[in-house]
Amino acid sequence: MRLFLHCMVFFLALPVHQGAYAQLSRGGEPIAVGTQKSSFQWINLDDARVDELLLEDQADAIRGMKNTRIAREIPVSLNPERDGTWEWMHDGTRIWRLGIRGTGARALGIVFNRYFLEEGARLFLYDPMMRKVLGAYTGENNKSTAILPVSYLPGEELVIQLEVPFELLDYGELQAGTVRYAYQPVFEDKSLYDGYFGRADSCNIDINCPAGNDWQLLKRSVVRMVNAELCTGVLVNNTNKDGKPYIYTAAHCVFDLSTGEYQPTVFYFNYESPSCNGPDGNDQFSIAGATLVATGDTSENPRDADSLDFALLEL
């Protein structure tokens, strides 16, 4: 899923102003409260039925359908009011932790279906060894939809940690509504070629190969999209030319084909191999969530070959 120079280039793609690039998280490190897993509650996910998913993927491949699914979405309802474990630090800071375990998962991701944090509260997600930390997510991540999708952490375990300072009586609202159980690789060994290397057609060339020299400006319009699928989209301008952050992509990239429901998505910018046939791309520049502006009828009949498989989103 690296940025490739494709056989056909979408001619409406326009560059985005540098100011549109934004970090999904606010940085910082979670407060250390010990690493003993037994010191806080863990939730074990139900069987993700990976064999069933792989058989479905095989059937799609036989029918000639390009499969981009990487995860099963498992509905949950987890919040600090009734789940997890609260601890108090010496300075009065309240810390809530909840562990989630999906045995056999390549990675785990979370969609918060109720997210509204008051100023001062901080949210982190990390693996138990803290090799990768996502966050801090704060009130600056609040959205009118109150939905926040968070990308994947490698491995079969993750920890959610909410930090509430002493002077803050109410942290706001927080509830995890979906766990994404990845049964395919998502972000794995970045020092080597990713799992998709060598599977592209001969006309799919890394953007930083010599053939991509004429496309160095246009490449900035391409984004990687991650939900329960791996996809790409492209920034497009409008007739007002005001830089409104529209993304054009396929409908099957943002709709769950089994339920027809819209999937909250994380968008990655600057995701490209730094050299021709080089290692995988950087996943540090991301924006979460978008509003669906228009789509074809794919969501109603995803297996219909005549359906209009497009979606226009606004970041």
Side-chain angles (χ1 to χ4, degrees), residues 53-238:
L53 298 175
L54 293 172
L55 285 173
E56 290 176 3
D57 295 346
Q58 258 185 345
D60 284 347
I62 291 171
R63 290 196 295 268
M65 298 179 65
K66 183 178 180 181
N67 179 52
T68 60
R69 184 174 60 184
I70 57 171
R72 179 187 289 281
E73 296 200 312
I74 300 175
V76 295
S77 180
L78 304 170
N79 65 66
E81 304 306 314
R82 63 171 185 267
D83 305 292
T85 306
W86 284 96
E87 299 179 59
W88 277 257
M89 308 301 290
H90 292 302
D91 63 358
T93 299
R94 307 189 306 280
I95 295 180
W96 174 76
R97 287 188 294 170
L98 176 67
I100 297 176
R101 180 181 295 113
T103 303
R106 306 287 290 268
L108 295 175
I110 299 290
V111 178
F112 294 98
N113 64 344
R114 286 216 316 265
Y115 180 96
F116 184 90
L117 293 187
E118 298 291 348
E119 184 177 353
R122 303 196 308 167
L123 180 72
F124 292 93
L125 285 82
Y126 52 86
D127 66 273
M129 299 299 293
M130 298 196 75
R131 287 167 295 198
K132 185 170 184 179
V133 177
L134 301 178
Y137 303 103
T138 68
E140 294 185 32
N141 294 97
N142 294 344
K143 305 176 187 301
S144 59
T145 61
I147 294 174
L148 181 71
V150 178
S151 193
Y152 292 85
L153 283 166
E156 58 185 24
E157 295 180 335
L158 66 77
V159 179
I160 305 173
Q161 179 166 316
L162 174 66
E163 301 174 358
V164 185
F166 171 74
E167 64 276 10
L168 189 61
L169 298 179
D170 181 10
Y171 62 83
E173 287 190 83
L174 184 69
Q175 178 169 285
T178 301
V179 177
R180 287 171 169 164
Y181 178 110
Y183 65 100
Q184 299 284 11
V186 188
F187 296 116
E188 297 195 350
D189 189 351
K190 310 300 278 187
S191 65
L192 304 172
Y193 301 132
D194 65 22
Y196 296 90
F197 183 78
R199 289 166 53 184
D201 290 333
S202 60
C203 59
N204 295 139
I205 303 165
D206 277 344
I207 189 65
N208 289 318
C209 290
N213 289 345
D214 292 338
W215 309 99
Q216 293 301 303
L217 182 61
L218 286 175
K219 74 178 184 180
R220 293 166 54 196
S221 65
V222 180
V223 298
R224 187 189 205 198
M225 299 169 52
V226 177
N227 41 55
E229 315 271 335
L230 285 183
C231 279
T232 55
V234 62
L235 283 157
V236 294
N237 215 333
N238 56 65

